[in-house]
Amino acid sequence: MSVLLIVCKVILVLTSLLLILTVLMHKGRGGGLSDMFGGGFSSAVASSGVAERNLNRITVGVSVIWVLTIITIGIATKIQS
């Protein structure tokens, strides 16, 4: 396995975990899974608009890196085969 694939797979695992954490940290909009897993806590600790905006930016940034990593793994696998 090439070094590029190993590095990409490590980045993929890290970004996947970060993406899960950032999505779960978002404030619930009522109902659904976000309220089921700690909805009381998120409503008790109200986040400010700036914090929510920064969390949105971080989530989008991590998701872009995640998608680019998946595309890179697909291209590298196709070239290697």
Side-chain angles (χ1 to χ4, degrees), residues 29-68:
R29 302 240 194 284
L33 288 176
S34 61
D35 283 344
M36 191 167 86
F37 294 116
F41 179 74
S42 66
S43 64
V45 181
S47 62
S48 67
V50 175
E52 189 71 26
R53 234 178 294 133
N54 287 337
L55 185 60
N56 288 339
R57 290 178 185 152
I58 292 170
T59 304
V60 169
V62 171
S63 63
V64 167
I65 294 170
W66 185 78
V67 168
L68 291 175

Side-chain angles (χ1 to χ4, degrees), residues 18-28 42 47 52 55:
L18 280 173
L19 197 57
I20 290 169
L21 289 175
T22 55
V23 167
L24 288 176
M25 285 172 52
H26 277 85
K27 187 169 73 171
S42 66
S47 62
E52 189 71 26
L55 185 60

